[in-house]
Amino acid sequence: MNEIEIKLPSDPQFLKIIRSGISHISKICGFSNEESNAVTIAVDEAASNIIKHTYNGAKNELIVVNFRILEDRLEVVLRDFGEKVDPKTIKSRDLNEIRPGGLGVHLIKSTMDVVNYDNSFEVGNQLTMVKYFPGKKEK
């Protein structure tokens, strides 16, 4: 297993670091350019949602991102220490509704093979996203 951890402030100007990291790691994992771009967008949306919804736009809070390259999959774990979010309330807007924004959850769930929200920590939340390598997804 290879694991990379990035700790960064919740300032949107640092999201590029996450995007660059996941883009490069996705290519190392053998994902196509299309899959790599989709995974990059999904992880970027997840981090953006932490800034917007958990930290309410505060720029000096901590986000920890772990990228784990396992035998059959890439696992991305985003940890925040902000307001707890009830996983039952996390949902995408109606796709027939025409307006900007609100599609992050849809993009995340349609791209990643496993999406798990966990707010069981004393403080904050954790989002685990898994993308199986091409041809490795369990049936």
Side-chain angles (χ1 to χ4, degrees), residues 53-54 83-91 109 117-120 124-125:
H53 300 293
T54 304
E83 291 181 24
K84 286 187 174 286
V85 177
D86 181 353
K88 294 176 191 167
T89 65
I90 299 171
K91 58 185 176 185
K109 288 185 174 178
Y117 295 94
D118 184 355
N119 70 350
S120 65
N125 309 279

Side-chain angles (χ1 to χ4, degrees), residues 1-121:
M1 174 180 78
N2 291 315
E3 183 170 351
I4 300 160
E5 182 176 280
I6 300 173
K7 294 180 179 179
L8 62 162
S10 57
D11 189 325
Q13 72 176 336
F14 296 116
L15 289 175
K16 184 175 184 178
I17 295 169
I18 296 174
R19 288 192 300 271
S20 296
I22 189 61
S23 176
H24 186 71
I25 291 168
S26 294
K27 290 176 183 167
I28 289 172
C29 292
F31 294 118
S32 68
N33 284 339
E34 183 178 329
E35 290 170 318
S36 178
N37 289 337
V39 169
T40 300
I41 290 169
V43 173
D44 183 62
E45 285 290 335
S48 296
N49 284 344
I50 289 172
I51 294 170
K52 184 176 181 181
H53 300 293
T54 304
Y55 289 138
N56 298 311
K59 296 181 177 179
N60 59 349
E61 301 296 334
L62 178 62
I63 298 175
V64 179
V65 185
N66 279 287
F67 304 100
R68 297 181 186 128
I69 302 172
L70 303 168
E71 185 174 318
D72 60 346
R73 65 193 180 276
L74 169 63
E75 186 176 275
V76 182
V77 179
L78 287 93
R79 178 83 166 92
D80 70 68
F81 305 89
E83 291 181 24
K84 286 187 174 286
V85 177
D86 181 353
K88 294 176 191 167
T89 65
I90 299 171
K91 58 185 176 185
S92 181
R93 69 167 165 79
D94 183 350
L95 296 179
N96 293 320
E97 189 179 317
I98 300 174
R99 65 172 173 86
L103 294 175
V105 173
H106 172 74
L107 292 169
I108 293 166
K109 288 185 174 178
S110 64
T111 298
M112 305 306 283
D113 296 312
V114 176
V115 177
N116 182 41
Y117 295 94
D118 184 355
N119 70 350
S120 65
F121 299 92

